[in-house]
Amino acid sequence: MKPFCFADGQIISTEKASIHPMDVGLIRGYGIFDFLRTVNFQPLFLEHYLDRFIASAEKTFIPLEYSRAELKAIIQELIEKNHLKEGGIRMVLSGGVSKNHFSPAKGKLFIFAETLLFPPMEKYEKGIKLLTLEYVRPIAEIKTTNYALPVWDSMRWKDAEAEDVLYHLNGMVSESSRSNFFIVKDGQISTPDSHILMGITRKHIMKLACKVLIRPISLAETLNADEAFITSTTKKLLPVTQIDDREIGNGKPGPVALDLLEKFKLLEKELCF
């Protein structure tokens, strides 16, 4: 965590940020957040992240008392004060303190600046392992702070030397706990159409790929795909070469995933340098 954050309506020392112990965000796990990266001191895809954050506040009935322009100004000030050339900006809006300790109320806005470490290069070169988990995130289209199940289940991943999970229900896959999911079969890229967060990196990868089918994807066809990969703000694009004990394709990162990763890196440079 960097030295300065936004809380209580102002830029303050991060170590002084606090939340009321009866905030619904704390006692009920009800709140929203979003996370974006800075590249060369510039917030990457900022407008898209603000679109999602503002929409999430509206959908969760948590008042957000800051305009888009004010949020942009706060983020820019934090980047400058924290000298955040390459890092992360985390926006958190708590559920607020309500009379019945249950309903959403006036939320408290925090914006933090963070150091960001990408996965080691070995994972991009060799691919990663996912473990299947029968689950669908509640209100998946909203980036809520409710990560109780994957945090608990992450001890299983550690023991299995897996990067993350792949959610599925009734034989259909949706997403990873913190990433969107894609498969490739006979050169055709596909990504699930429901029970997912509309990822910002996902959106730009789809634009770079040009032809992506958004459709229901079964676990069975996933295990028989030629390639698979995940996308997220903190990972960009990571090839998936194993799901549970099953190799995907030939067990190595495929040409489609690797080509899209390079195109995404070039896009970053075009936008931020």
Side-chain angles (χ1 to χ4, degrees):
M1 201 73 74
K2 296 296 184 179
F4 300 101
C5 77
F6 179 85
D8 299 312
Q10 59 187 322
I11 304 291
I12 63 171
S13 171
T14 300
E15 63 184 15
K16 293 183 179 179
S18 63
I19 190 168
H20 194 286
M22 292 303 290
D23 194 294
V24 174
L26 182 63
I27 63 173
R28 305 293 183 187
Y30 192 81
I32 63 167
F33 82 103
D34 225 308
F35 187 90
L36 59 105
R37 289 193 292 122
T38 60
V39 179
N40 196 29
F41 298 107
Q42 298 184 55
L44 185 65
F45 310 135
L46 177 59
E47 297 295 346
H48 299 284
Y49 285 99
L50 290 178
D51 285 344
R52 189 168 67 183
F53 188 67
I54 293 168
S56 291
E58 293 175 352
K59 291 175 181 177
T60 51
F61 312 104
I62 306 175
L64 174 60
E65 299 183 335
Y66 294 87
S67 68
R68 175 183 292 264
E70 288 171 327
L71 292 172
K72 290 170 71 173
I74 293 165
I75 290 169
Q76 190 58 49
E77 185 174 356
L78 284 174
I79 291 172
E80 293 170 4
K81 287 187 72 69
N82 288 294
H83 197 69
L84 197 68
K85 183 177 182 179
E86 313 284 339
I89 295 289
R90 185 181 302 272
M91 301 179 286
V92 182
L93 184 62
S94 73
V97 180
S98 59
K99 291 182 180 179
N100 64 0
H101 309 308
F102 191 83
S103 301
K106 178 182 176 181
K108 183 171 182 178
L109 177 67
F110 299 89
I111 305 181
F112 299 102
E114 304 177 16
T115 299
L116 176 61
L117 296 176
F118 287 106
M121 187 56 63
E122 180 183 21
K123 293 186 177 182
Y124 292 93
E125 295 172 344
K126 295 183 177 181
I128 60 166
K129 175 182 177 180
L130 299 180
L131 298 181
T132 55
L133 179 62
E134 193 170 2
Y135 180 64
V136 166
R137 283 194 310 116
I139 47 176
E141 71 276 10
I142 301 173
K143 201 169 179 68
T144 72
T145 56
N146 179 9
Y147 279 69
L149 181 65
V151 169
W152 170 77
D153 194 52
S154 65
M155 300 308 294
R156 180 174 69 106
W157 318 345
K158 183 178 179 181
D159 290 342
E161 298 183 339
E163 179 74 17
D164 211 314
V165 290
L166 177 62
Y167 293 149
H168 66 99
L169 189 66
N170 298 325
M172 308 306 291
V173 302
S174 54
E175 60 185 1
S176 181
S177 75
R178 294 159 292 173
S179 307
N180 289 114
F181 182 72
F182 294 77
I183 65 169
V184 183
K185 186 67 174 180
D186 298 327
Q188 175 62 62
I189 307 171
S190 299
T191 192
D193 62 345
S194 59
H195 301 302
I196 64 167
L197 181 73
M198 298 300 177
I200 307 303
T201 304
R202 172 184 182 267
K203 174 190 288 188
H204 289 280
I205 287 293
M206 288 171 63
K207 288 180 180 179
L208 292 171
C210 296
K211 289 181 61 178
V212 177
L213 293 181
I214 303 171
R215 62 177 180 84
I217 298 176
S218 70
L219 180 57
E221 67 175 308
T222 294
L223 296 176
N224 286 289
D226 298 329
E227 298 182 42
F229 57 90
I230 58 173
T231 62
S232 76
T233 302
T234 57
K235 298 178 178 69
K236 300 184 184 179
L237 184 156
L238 268 179
V240 175
T241 51
Q242 184 177 343
I243 297 176
D244 292 334
D245 295 325
R246 180 75 167 263
E247 277 192 350
I248 302 301
N250 63 6
K252 299 178 181 179
V256 174
L258 294 177
D259 178 63
L260 283 172
L261 177 58
E262 291 307 309
K263 288 179 177 177
F264 187 79
K265 291 177 180 177
L266 288 174
L267 177 62
E268 284 186 10
K269 290 181 179 179
E270 291 174 6
L271 295 174
C272 299
F273 288 89

